[in-house]
Amino acid sequence: MAAVWGVTRESFLAGDTSRVAREAVAAAVSSRNACPFCVEAHAMSLHGAGRHDLADALASGRPVSDPALQPLLQWAAATRDPGSPLLKALPCEPSDRPRFIGTALLFHYINRMVHVFLGDSPLPGLPGMGLARDAVRRAAGKLFMSGLASRPVKPGLAEGLRLPVRQDGPGPEAIAWAAGDPHVHRAWWNFHRIALGLGERHVPVQTRILIADALEAWTGGDMGLSRGWAFEATRSLPQEQQPLARFALLVALASYQVDDQVVRDFLAVEGAGQRLVPAAAWASAMATFRIARWLSHHPEEGFPGGI
C-alpha cells in the first residue's frame, strides 16, 4: 500500500502540473478501461474544483469542449494502443511529462484493482443515469471534494513510508519515461521493485512465465466477453495452479471479466486466500508496466504550449 501511495502522491497529486488536467487524464484512462467507478470519482473531483462542464462531459462520455484539454485526453485514451501516432508527442510542457504519464499508468493499475474489489460506482443505490444522478454527483463533489484539485502538494515522498532510496542509474525500461522527475522516478522504481517481489512470493513461477508471455503478445485490445481464452491459455499448467493463473490472467488483460465465480475458483485452492490481493496487485502491475514500456519507446519530451 505504501508503494501505491508513493506513485499516487508523486504522479497524481504533487507538483505544479495542473491537477484538473491530471483528473481529466485519469478519467479518460478509466473510461478506456471501462471502469465506471473511477470515471465517476474523478468527475466528482472535477465538480469539486468547479469544472462542472468538464466533469459532466467525462462522466457521460460526451466530447470535451475545452480545446486545451482535448489533445491530452486523446493521448490518454491512446495509451492502450501502442501503434497510435498520438503517443509520439505528449501535448504538454516537458517538465509535466512524467506526471501525466505517471497518472495515466497509475489508473491503468487502479482500474484493474477496482474491477476486482469494488463495485460500479462510489455512489451506489442512486439512479443509473440522467439528470438525477448528475445532480447528486455534482453535490457530492462540492461537499466532499471542494478545493481538492487545487490544493498544493509538495513533491517528495511523504515521511514515514519507509521505502528504500532507489539505486543510481536509469532503472528498469518500464520506468524510463519517469527519468525527468526524480520524485516520480523514485516512487515508480520502488513500486516496480515491490510488485516484482509480490509475484515472487505469491505467484508460482510457471504462472508468472505464462502471464509474461501473454502480456508480451498483447497489443492493448479488449479480450471480448467470453472467458474461454483464459481457460485455454492456462490448460497446460498443473491443475492446482490453473485457478490462480486464470485469475491473474484475467486481472492483467480483462479485469472486467473477473466475477464471483472466478474468485470462488481461486479461493477453493487450499491456502489461496492469502494470495488473492497480492496476486491481483502483481497482475495489475505487470499489465501496467507492459503499457509503460510502450510509452517509454516514445522518447519525445512533449512540446511547449500544452497543458
Side-chain angles (χ1 to χ4, degrees):
M1 289 296 293
V4 176
W5 167 241
V7 295
T8 300
R9 187 184 192 282
E10 299 307 323
S11 301
F12 184 54
L13 302 176
D16 55 8
T17 301
S18 167
R19 176 67 187 280
V20 165
R22 282 184 279 183
E23 290 280 359
V25 164
V29 168
S30 300
S31 179
R32 177 64 185 87
N33 287 331
C35 183
F37 185 106
C38 291
V39 171
E40 192 154 50
H42 295 297
M44 290 167 58
S45 291
L46 289 167
H47 279 306
R51 295 298 302 271
H52 304 301
D53 290 345
L54 176 59
D56 288 339
L58 289 167
S60 64
R62 298 196 308 268
V64 169
S65 59
D66 187 333
L69 282 174
Q70 285 173 348
L72 187 64
L73 299 185
Q74 291 169 354
W75 169 86
T79 56
R80 278 272 302 271
D81 181 1
S84 173
L86 294 172
L87 299 184
K88 292 182 178 179
L90 175 50
C92 68
E93 296 286 349
S95 59
D96 291 330
R97 187 175 183 267
R99 293 194 189 104
F100 279 130
I101 294 178
T103 292
L105 292 172
L106 171 65
F107 285 93
H108 281 298
Y109 172 84
I110 286 178
N111 293 160
R112 286 166 167 79
M113 296 295 283
V114 168
H115 277 148
V116 176
F117 296 109
L118 296 177
D120 289 338
S121 172
L123 300 171
L126 295 176
M129 296 296 291
L131 294 177
R133 191 173 191 87
D134 290 345
V136 172
R137 187 188 300 120
R138 182 176 298 209
K142 289 181 179 179
L143 179 62
F144 299 112
M145 300 183 177
S146 181
L148 185 65
S150 59
R151 190 175 302 159
V153 178
K154 184 179 179 180
L157 284 173
E159 294 182 6
L161 289 183
R162 298 181 180 177
L163 296 176
V165 177
R166 68 169 180 82
Q167 301 297 312
D168 291 335
E173 178 190 11
I175 61 168
W177 54 270
D181 187 307
H183 301 298
V184 175
H185 196 236
R186 177 189 175 191
W188 278 92
W189 194 326
N190 281 312
F191 181 69
H192 185 273
R193 177 186 58 80
I194 289 170
L196 292 182
L198 286 176
E200 291 171 358
R201 291 193 301 275
H202 298 283
V203 182
V205 63
Q206 290 171 281
T207 295
R208 298 203 306 270
I209 292 171
L210 183 147
I211 302 296
D213 289 345
L215 284 168
E216 191 65 30
W218 183 56
T219 56
D222 293 324
M223 303 303 291
L225 297 178
S226 168
R227 290 195 294 258
W229 61 274
F231 281 85
E232 184 61 32
T234 57
R235 199 179 305 278
S236 62
L237 294 176
Q239 188 170 1
E240 67 276 10
Q241 290 187 27
Q242 290 180 19
L244 186 155
R246 198 158 51 242
F247 172 79
L249 189 61
L250 287 167
V251 171
L253 298 182
S255 53
Y256 55 87
Q257 291 188 348
V258 175
D259 61 9
D260 287 348
Q261 186 58 56
V262 173
V263 175
R264 277 195 293 268
D265 290 346
F266 182 106
L267 295 176
V269 178
E270 184 177 356
Q274 295 180 346
R275 292 181 168 186
L276 183 68
V277 174
W282 172 81
S284 298
M286 294 305 100
T288 298
F289 289 126
R290 174 62 171 142
I291 296 169
R293 285 168 53 204
W294 302 337
L295 303 184
S296 294
H297 289 163
H298 294 282
E300 293 82 352
E301 292 296 325
F303 56 86
I307 298 297

